Amino acid sequence: MLNKDQPLTTYPKQNYNGVFTLIIINLVVFIADRVLGIPFIQNLYLNHASPAWYQFFTSMFCHANWAHISGNLFFLYIFGRIVEEEEGIVGVVSSYIICGLGGSLMSYFFHGGAVYSLGASGAVFGLFAVSVLIKLSWHWRKILEVL
């Protein structure tokens, strides 16, 4: 028997711990670099002339300016939530890192010379692709969500 005070359906409360963790890491690195001016942070940029192995990973957490980070974090929040809803914390963080590493490698291979790469654009675009692939199915409601 239904209790009149009990809702008909209950949805579990969704936490977005992976997305918010990635956002916080990006913000901390940005503040340390652009606001506090800690010179060590610039060693985290991907230096195409002589890259260190860790720069392929760390460059995805560095950003050039406020417009750069705000755009990336906005899309990280939008598409990261979709991925985390379906795949959980491990799914969103691993997708972010794998796609970010792929973006760093492509940047390194296609840009030569004395260029520095930084930003989460590759990781965020990868989250977009993963979120579209997650939502694709032949169920009409999911197709409408993707569109």
Side-chain angles (χ1 to χ4, degrees):
M1 184 150 180
L2 270 175
N3 182 353
K4 67 178 182 174
D5 296 328
Q6 181 181 15
L8 293 176
T9 58
T10 57
Y11 296 101
K13 184 177 183 235
Q14 183 67 39
N15 294 323
Y16 300 108
N17 296 329
V19 171
F20 289 126
T21 300
L22 291 170
I23 288 172
I24 289 170
I25 292 169
N26 278 281
L27 284 172
V28 166
V29 172
F30 180 77
I31 290 169
D33 185 19
R34 298 297 170 182
V35 177
L36 300 176
I38 299 172
F40 170 77
I41 301 297
Q42 293 182 355
N43 293 333
L44 303 178
Y45 300 175
L46 178 56
N47 181 355
H48 290 243
S50 61
W53 64 269
Y54 61 87
Q55 291 174 341
F56 290 96
F57 173 76
T58 58
S59 64
M60 74 181 86
F61 297 102
C62 302
H63 292 83
N65 53 42
W66 178 248
H68 188 206
I69 192 171
S70 63
N72 278 336
L73 293 187
F74 174 75
F75 289 110
L76 168 59
Y77 178 73
I78 298 297
F79 299 119
R81 281 185 53 204
I82 294 170
V83 174
E84 191 164 3
E85 282 175 359
E86 298 292 329
E87 303 300 323
I89 293 172
V90 173
V92 73
V93 172
S94 62
S95 295
Y96 181 91
I97 291 172
I98 290 168
C99 295
L101 288 173
S104 293
L105 287 171
M106 292 299 108
S107 174
Y108 176 72
F109 289 134
F110 289 109
H111 290 92
V115 176
Y116 287 88
S117 294
L118 62 154
S121 300
V124 171
F125 186 76
L127 285 177
F128 164 73
V130 170
S131 67
V132 168
L133 292 173
I134 285 173
K135 291 293 183 178
L136 280 180
S137 72
W138 294 109
H139 193 270
W140 68 273
R141 286 185 181 172
K142 288 193 176 189
I143 292 172
L144 285 177
E145 285 179 23
V146 170
L147 293 176

